[in-house]
Amino acid sequence: MANKKAFGKLKGREAMVLGIVIAMVVLFSILSPTFRSYPTFVSVLDNSYYITLMALGVTFPLITGGVDLSIGTGLVSYALIGGYLVVHKGVPIGVGILVCILVGLLIGVFNGVLVAVMDLPPFLATLCTCMITRGLGPALCSSMGVSWPSALSEQGAFRKIFKFTSASGTVIPIGIVFMIVLVVIMSFVLDHTRVGRYILAIGSNKEATRLAGVNVKFYHMMAYMISGLFAGMAGVAYAATYATIYPGSGAGFELDAIGGAIVGGVSASGGVGTILGTFLGVFVICLMKVGLPFIGLQANWQQIFTGIVLIAAVLVDVVKKKK
Amino acid sequence: MKKKVLAVLLSAAMVMSLAACGGGGGGDAKTDDGGSAADSGTTAADDNAGSDDSAGGDKGYSFEIIVKSFQSTYWQAAVQGIEQACGELGVKANSNGPANESDIADQITMINDAIEKKPDGIGLAACDTKSVVDSLQKALEAGIPVVCFDTGVDEAPEGSVYATVATDNEAAGAVAAENMFPVIEEKIKAATTDKKVRIGEVNQDATALNIQQRGKGFINKMLELCTDAGKKVAVVGNEYYVNATEGTVAEGEAEVIIEVGVPAQTTVDLASTEAQKIMSKDDTIAIFGSNQTTAEGVITANQTLNKLAADPAEGIIGVGFDAGTPQKEAITNGQFIGSVTQSPLMMGYECIYTLTDIADGKDVSDLPMDGYWYNKDNMEAEDIAPNLYD
């Protein structure tokens, strides 16, 4: 309901995705008694933070008609670099977090230059940075897995940004508050600022936007910078949620985020999309990742099922548009 | 002009992506790093050997080592052992491995590349024991001896694998069960068909032989101990482990249930979801995470559930496998009663010694390595601590 107040009337697509989310919660709750418990709810949120951050960021390149494939391996490598500095070089945790976000932004700028200035196709450019980031983190951290300080240690307070455990042991997933704040901010950026409007315009018709006198290169680049910045933040969220960052992991994370955005109504051909839609779409993905094991579906079937549900989610939209 | 630059850039990018498809993407960058580290370690420690292996030196052999990945600190300890042995023997070893333990195809490419280099021997930790069989056949035809370490390959072509240096994973899994059982014995004895108890196990996958053996070793030992205590046991969950177990009853008739969770992919979030799924159930009394990733999955799940305890009356008993900072912390603060460690360092070390023996023309045989139980009390002990990497 809070969402409704913040955004006025839900658009049709968002209402539908919200419906899917609710339907999934109901279905999983009926099928699994342990699913409908507070810890599971917290766990869905825990799993959602880094995907949400990636998805909020990647929505912008997607809206320009491009894509950013470097965010998955990117976030792992940013978290590795930041964590390596904290654990092995004795850097204060705040600096580690900052480094994590800044390296993300830097890769975002790099992607932006490749795509907007040098006119490389986004798929190819970000596929290359995906490879670069996959090797970059391990290369800079002598290929070691890094465990950011645990919640119990002195430096582990940053983990409480996302999950606060009170003295009595009650777990409060405050990370979701930050996510909602970011959703509000980025919705504003997309719908009401020059950056957002021009990014939408580039996605609808780049040439017309250029002829209208807009500095297309700059705003096109901005889309990738936003994506990189959020990948950096996703790196922090990932480090805060999980025990150890393993070098070489992260490939495929971007698909969860891109999948979430597409389910949420962002058009893969550009020009269309909302932040709220992306946010809700991410929950379709996260609920599936947590819910399917809970209802007893075994590994291989989880993946098959996930694919089918995503097809269905996108298909509903296609059918609706045709009517 | 601009178009030409673009064309050049594009084709460069395409070549890059092709190379990555063949060679394993980021794995190359990372493993090159590991390899050069191993190399520099060798040359630094070995004064006599020239930079070229044909130049001789103490032994002058050159080996190719392929690990499962550099994903966990576990493999870094193995590389440390490899470097140590290289330094002692004056041989060279080039370490390589895919980015991820599930990158089976990448590893095959690496093995085939290693064979092309015609080294004096290959040390291999196979990601997937079935997929490497063809490559082992090639090595056999090329006359290159292979020593498997960490993971054995059951179906290896006759004569290709000279020796296997590996933890007896079945025994190591059993060590976890043997140490878990006494703590939960009372609860197991009190179990009835109406009031079942559940013991969880999270295995990273159902394809790697060492994980399979470890998982089955735990299940079979627990099954044996519970059966000896007069209880009927059912194994539920992942099809592979359910089908691999004998002497069980249907879930309805059982007093003790062993539930096996396997994540759809080997990512930390899915591993923790599997752990959480089992730990959320009211009848769960204990849980075992059978490698570093899954043991940490149990710890991550507990951050929300807060159910793990050292005392069975207060919560779920947790047991891990391998080491790493999070697990060591969990043992120190009483979330885990203990964990089983292998000695990756010794396996890497013995692998090089075995390869050198083969090159020297000596007879070699399999070298089973032990799994060691460690807990709060013996973590600092001399024979345990070196294996407990961070």
Side-chain angles (χ1 to χ4, degrees), chain B residues 299-346:
Chain B
I299 296 168
T300 302
N302 190 58
Q303 280 166 10
T304 308
L305 287 166
N306 202 14
K307 277 187 165 183
L308 289 178
D311 180 353
E314 286 169 18
I316 296 173
I317 296 297
V319 170
F321 205 101
D322 292 338
T325 312
Q327 238 180 116
K328 288 198 270 182
E329 273 181 9
I331 290 171
T332 317
N333 66 30
Q335 289 173 331
F336 275 8
I337 58 163
S339 184
V340 181
T341 180
Q342 314 175 72
S343 183
L345 195 142
M346 286 308 292

Side-chain angles (χ1 to χ4, degrees), chain A residues 151-171:
Chain A
L152 299 169
S153 67
E154 272 174 43
Q155 287 207 301
F158 82 104
R159 288 184 189 261
K160 293 184 179 151
I161 306 170
F162 296 96
K163 184 158 68 181
F164 186 80
T165 309
S166 71
S168 60
T170 316
V171 175

Side-chain angles (χ1 to χ4, degrees), chain B residues 17-264:
Chain B
S17 60
L18 279 177
C21 290
D28 289 342
K30 223 158 35 61
T31 49
D32 281 349
D33 185 58
S36 61
D39 281 345
S40 60
T42 314
T43 37
D46 176 18
D47 296 328
N48 297 328
S51 57
D52 189 348
D53 48 323
S54 62
D58 284 353
K59 297 276 186 188
Y61 301 131
S62 159
F63 303 121
E64 291 288 323
I65 310 295
I66 294 150
V67 300
K68 282 194 198 185
S69 81
F70 285 97
Q71 218 190 29
S72 64
T73 36
Y74 179 88
W75 294 106
Q76 287 139 29
V79 171
Q80 198 184 325
I82 289 167
E83 287 172 27
Q84 200 180 322
C86 284
E88 287 174 17
L89 291 169
V91 298
K92 274 178 104 175
N94 179 36
S95 307
N96 208 349
N100 204 301
E101 291 197 22
S102 49
D103 291 343
I104 294 167
D106 287 352
Q107 199 192 35
I108 302 296
T109 314
M110 287 176 185
I111 303 170
N112 294 342
D113 289 349
I115 294 169
E116 293 296 315
K117 290 187 193 166
K118 305 221 180 310
D120 296 305
I122 293 175
L124 171 69
C127 289
D128 182 81
T129 52
K130 288 201 170 63
S131 318
V132 297
V133 171
D134 285 345
S135 300
L136 289 175
Q137 182 64 38
K138 276 186 211 164
L140 179 64
E141 284 159 14
I144 301 167
V146 176
V147 170
C148 288
F149 73 111
D150 181 74
T151 305
V153 179
D154 271 356
E155 295 164 28
E158 185 77 30
S160 60
V161 175
Y162 284 56
T164 299
V165 181
T167 304
D168 184 342
N169 277 294
E170 204 151 339
V175 168
E178 278 162 0
N179 284 280
M180 180 194 272
F181 184 78
V183 184
I184 52 173
E185 195 170 1
E186 292 303 315
K187 281 194 171 180
I188 287 177
K189 284 188 172 152
T192 62
T193 41
D194 296 325
K195 203 171 168 297
K196 299 178 200 297
V197 294
R198 186 181 303 267
I199 299 164
E201 178 185 54
V202 188
N203 295 325
Q204 177 175 283
D205 55 46
T207 49
L209 188 63
N210 61 337
I211 301 279
Q212 289 176 347
Q213 289 173 336
R214 207 180 288 164
K216 287 192 283 187
F218 176 86
I219 296 167
N220 288 333
K221 180 51 88 175
M222 193 51 90
L223 182 70
E224 180 193 321
L225 291 167
C226 292
T227 313
D228 288 349
K231 296 293 163 188
K232 288 196 278 290
V233 183
V235 178
V236 301
N238 182 273
E239 301 91 348
Y240 172 81
Y241 294 97
V242 171
N243 295 336
T245 320
E246 285 170 8
T248 54
V249 297
E251 194 173 352
E253 304 164 26
E255 290 143 319
V256 178
I257 295 171
I258 299 176
E259 179 166 351
V260 189
V262 173

Side-chain angles (χ1 to χ4, degrees), chain A residues 43 138 143 150 244 289 293, chain B residues 30 76 269 276-277 296 304 329:
Chain A
S43 162
S143 296
S150 79
T244 302
K289 284 177 93 171
Chain B
K30 223 158 35 61
Q76 287 139 29
D269 57 337
Q276 183 162 15
K277 170 187 81 180
E296 286 176 9
T304 308
E329 273 181 9

Side-chain angles (χ1 to χ4, degrees), chain A residues 137-196:
Chain A
L140 293 179
C141 309
S142 51
S143 296
M144 294 205 291
V146 172
S147 309
W148 284 62
S150 79
L152 299 169
S153 67
E154 272 174 43
Q155 287 207 301
F158 82 104
R159 288 184 189 261
K160 293 184 179 151
I161 306 170
F162 296 96
K163 184 158 68 181
F164 186 80
T165 309
S166 71
S168 60
T170 316
V171 175
I172 307 159
I174 49 175
I176 189 66
V177 177
F178 295 112
M179 296 306 136
I180 290 171
V181 169
L182 282 172
V183 167
V184 173
I185 293 174
M186 294 322 283
S187 287
F188 181 80
V189 169
L190 182 63
D191 295 335
H192 300 289
T193 66
R194 194 170 287 172
V195 173

Side-chain angles (χ1 to χ4, degrees), chain A residues 9 29 42 48 89 95 98 106 114 135 150 160 221 229 242 286 289 299:
Chain A
K9 238 183 145 190
S29 299
V42 175
S48 76
K89 299 286 171 200
V95 177
L98 208 62
L106 212 65
L114 289 180
S150 79
K160 293 184 179 151
M221 206 171 124
L229 176 71
Y242 302 108
C286 291
K289 284 177 93 171

